[in-house]
């Protein structure tokens, strides 16, 4: 309906706007990851350059060379990430390159110190693998965390196999002391490293997945709430969200309030034969004038009644000046909609006119409905009388009416009429019973 405006969405589906936000978040996360990698590599390179060198190094270290390549790749990835979203294949390739470069540096240690290749397996530099795994958590996608851990674990398996192939099976020991003191390979120790890589990446991936699910659910609920909020007046939303207990049908509060009922004269004839979209646009143009005026004076639109509206003042929240606010709003609405009436006149002499009425009195602001659906509304004699007075405009040939009692209450509250108002005494209003003293607002 309404050209697909209210197309149902599967339960739990992520709205397109949230998906777009996720894409933007991923792009920002990739840039953040790049900057963190750049900062870490720069720090390590600086630390290496100023730290004392090992006295037993037999050849020049490849660490500065490896860190230089790493910094170059990181800067390239950063540059590309600011240009466009990085494809997944590129991200996977860069992930593999990061781990491969780290392992290449670790492998070079046995050359630098002229030791068997098994010597490189003891390099504490392998701990930076966990930094790479943690960095991928910044992207907030568990797949990349898990992929990094699996690539690191597989790479270390190949590293160990290669070391055994080069040094021979005689390099394998079952003695922990020999492993610690010498350049032997303890299979259990290498398995521990591999298990730690997989376990850390799996645990971190699960944590990221849970956080991602929570964030998506929260984001979806916020978007849905923002959309629903557009269908609820702010005071009603505040009454709902501010209630300490769940609201049930029949709950309500009694307050002094004022009511405005508005209706368009000639609207049925105007709408007949016209395009429904044009009719809706006419109503929307009126609402754009009326609603800000009502809200400016502290009121809210309680209901849109087809071509009419019901506004309340002091019903949803306590007010010291409901009658004064309602009459001030009604006077301003009448003046502000004169131009709208002129704009919607046609050559046949048909001219739309907005009629209104305002009343004040005790009302109940209550939640009505059932357990599945509730709606806040106002109930009371003032509400019924406002609707009757609005119709009575036709009888009197007026645009807007109120009661003498409402005007008196408004003046006590500080209202000052913009001009001398005409009083109508002892008027019979259909459905009102006793004759009423009325006041012509316009």
């Amino acid at each position: 309906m309404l050209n697909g405006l209210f197309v149902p969405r599967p339960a739990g589906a992520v709205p397109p706007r949230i998906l777009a936000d996720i894409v933007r978040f991923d792009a920002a996360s990739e840039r953040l990851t790049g900057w963190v990698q750049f900062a870490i590599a720069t720090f390590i390179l600086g630390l290496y350059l100023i730290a004392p060198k090992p006295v037993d190094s037999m050849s020049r270290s490849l660490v500065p060379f490896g860190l230089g390549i790493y910094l170059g790749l990181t800067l390239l990835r950063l540059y590309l990430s600011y240009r466009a979203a990085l494809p997944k294949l590129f991200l996977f390739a860069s992930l593999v390159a990061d781990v491969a470069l780290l392992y290449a540096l670790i492998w070079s240690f046995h050359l630098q110190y002229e030791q068997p290749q098994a010597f490189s397996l003891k390099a504490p530099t392998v701990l930076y693998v966990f930094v790479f795994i943690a960095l991928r958590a910044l992207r907030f996608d568990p797949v990349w965390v898990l992929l990094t851990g699996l690539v690191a674990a597989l790479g270390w398996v190949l590293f160990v196999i290669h070391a055994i192939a080069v040094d021979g099976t005689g390099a394998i020991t079952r003695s922990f002391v020999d492993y610690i003191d010498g350049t032997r390979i303890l299979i259990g120790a290498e398995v521990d490293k591999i298990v730690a890589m997989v376990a850390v990446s799996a645990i971190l991936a699960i944590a990221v997945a849970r956080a991602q699910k929570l964030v998506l659910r929260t984001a979806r609920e916020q978007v849905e709430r923002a959309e629903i909020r557009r269908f609820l007046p702010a005071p009603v939303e505040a009454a709902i969200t501010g209630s300490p207990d769940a609201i049930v049908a029949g709950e309500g509060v009694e307050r002094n309030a004022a009511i405005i009922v508005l209706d368009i004269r000639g609207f049925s004839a105007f709408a007949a034969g016209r395009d429904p979209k044009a009719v809706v646009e006419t109503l929307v143009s009126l609402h754009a004038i009326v609603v800000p005026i009502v809200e400016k004076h502290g009121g809210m639109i309680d209901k849109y009644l087809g071509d009419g509206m019901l506004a309340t003042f002091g019903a949803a929240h306590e007010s010291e000046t409901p009658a004064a606010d309602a009459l001030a709003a009604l006077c301003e609405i009448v003046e502000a909609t004169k131009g709208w009436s002129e704009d919607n006149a046609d050559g046949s002499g048909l001219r739309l006119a907005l009629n209104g009425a305002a009343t004040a009195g005790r009302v109940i602001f209550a939640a009505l409905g059932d357990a599945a659906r509730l709606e806040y509304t106002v109930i009371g004699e003032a509400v019924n009388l406002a609707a009757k007075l609005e119709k009575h405009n036709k009888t009197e040939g007026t645009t807007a009416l109120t009661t003498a009692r409402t005007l008196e209450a408004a003046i006590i509250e500080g209202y000052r009429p913009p001009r001398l108002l005409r009083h109508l005494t002892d008027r019979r209003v259909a459905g009102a019973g006793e004759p009423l003293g009325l006041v012509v607002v316009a």
Side-chain angles (χ1 to χ4, degrees):
M1 52 200 244
L2 286 181
N3 294 327
L5 182 61
F6 297 107
V7 177
R9 191 167 57 234
V14 180
R17 73 189 70 180
I18 295 182
L19 292 177
D21 285 341
I22 291 173
V23 171
R24 288 191 290 269
F25 179 81
D26 281 346
S29 297
E30 192 57 42
R31 292 192 287 270
L32 175 61
T33 301
W35 282 115
V36 173
Q37 285 180 289
F38 179 78
I40 291 174
T42 303
F43 173 77
I44 294 173
L45 181 59
L47 187 64
Y48 175 84
L49 293 176
I50 65 174
K53 304 301 181 287
V55 296
D56 52 354
S57 177
M58 303 301 179
S59 63
R60 187 174 181 180
S61 174
L62 296 179
V63 170
F65 179 71
L67 287 175
I69 295 177
Y70 183 75
L71 283 171
L73 292 175
T74 300
L75 288 174
L76 174 62
R77 188 162 62 236
L78 268 173
Y79 171 75
L80 294 176
S81 69
Y82 279 98
R83 299 276 304 222
L86 298 179
K88 292 182 178 179
L89 185 59
F90 179 88
L91 291 175
F92 180 72
S94 66
L95 181 157
V96 173
D98 289 345
V99 175
L101 186 59
L102 175 65
Y103 285 178
L105 284 177
I106 294 173
W107 174 85
S108 71
F109 288 163
H110 83 282
L111 299 177
Q112 180 181 349
Y113 294 95
E114 298 183 353
Q115 296 291 324
Q117 187 168 319
F119 174 81
S120 297
L121 295 175
K122 296 183 179 180
T125 312
V126 70
L127 295 175
Y128 284 104
V129 163
F130 297 102
V131 176
F132 287 165
I133 295 173
L135 275 173
R136 284 299 155 188
L138 293 176
R139 192 176 172 88
F140 219 58
D141 187 338
V143 172
W144 294 104
V145 178
L146 198 56
L147 275 176
T148 306
L150 292 176
V151 168
L154 178 60
W156 198 256
V157 169
L158 296 176
F159 201 161
V160 173
I161 292 174
H162 185 261
I164 294 174
V166 172
D167 294 348
T169 56
I172 300 175
T173 182
R174 297 182 63 184
S175 169
F176 185 74
V177 174
D178 287 346
Y179 168 71
I180 294 296
D181 287 345
T183 57
R184 308 290 293 278
I185 300 172
L186 183 63
I187 299 299
E190 305 312 319
V191 170
D192 285 344
K193 296 174 187 176
I194 294 166
V195 169
M197 293 175 193
V198 175
V200 167
S201 60
I203 294 170
L204 194 55
I206 292 172
V208 170
R210 287 169 58 85
Q212 184 188 62
K213 184 178 179 180
L214 177 61
V215 169
L216 285 176
R217 185 176 66 192
T218 303
R220 184 169 57 245
E221 289 174 353
Q222 286 179 343
V223 169
E224 291 171 352
R225 181 178 175 184
E227 289 300 309
I228 293 173
R229 188 185 295 126
R230 297 172 59 197
F231 292 82
L232 291 174
V236 171
E237 184 201 0
I240 295 171
T241 58
S243 176
D245 302 309
I247 297 170
V248 297
E251 283 189 357
V253 291
E254 187 176 2
R255 291 189 174 121
N256 282 321
I259 310 296
I260 289 180
V261 173
L262 302 170
D263 192 65
I264 304 173
R265 287 289 175 264
F267 188 78
S268 297
F270 174 83
R274 277 184 167 79
D275 178 42
K277 185 176 181 180
V279 174
V280 171
E281 288 175 351
T282 301
L283 288 174
V284 170
S285 66
L286 175 64
H287 298 161
I289 299 171
V290 174
V291 174
I293 295 174
V294 170
E295 293 179 348
K296 182 179 76 172
H297 290 280
M300 73 171 195
I301 302 297
D302 182 277
K303 285 183 181 62
Y304 291 96
L305 307 167
D307 61 326
M309 285 176 273
L310 188 152
T312 64
F313 298 78
H317 55 81
E318 199 76 44
S319 172
E320 299 294 327
T321 58
D325 294 336
L327 286 185
L330 183 57
C331 288
E332 188 171 344
I333 288 170
V334 170
E335 291 298 320
T337 54
K338 286 181 179 178
W340 176 85
S341 297
E342 296 292 340
D343 293 340
N344 288 285
D346 58 23
S348 65
L350 179 63
R351 179 175 176 271
L352 295 181
L354 186 67
N355 284 4
T359 57
R362 299 293 288 179
V363 302
I364 296 177
F365 181 66
L368 299 181
D370 58 19
R373 183 180 181 276
L374 295 174
E375 179 179 336
Y376 266 113
T377 190
V378 283
I379 302 169
E381 180 57 31
V383 183
N384 300 330
L385 183 56
K388 295 168 184 175
L389 279 187
E390 185 280 315
K391 290 180 173 59
H392 193 70
N393 277 302
K394 189 174 182 179
T395 302
E396 300 290 350
T398 54
T399 298
L401 291 170
T402 188
T403 63
R405 182 174 296 179
T406 299
L407 177 62
E408 181 181 353
I411 291 173
I412 293 173
E413 292 170 1
Y415 175 69
R416 296 295 176 263
R419 61 186 179 282
L420 187 63
L421 302 179
R422 180 161 60 98
H423 287 250
L424 306 174
T425 58
D426 296 330
R427 286 307 201 262
R428 289 280 181 181
V429 177
E434 296 294 327
L436 297 172
L438 304 181
V439 179
V440 179
V441 177

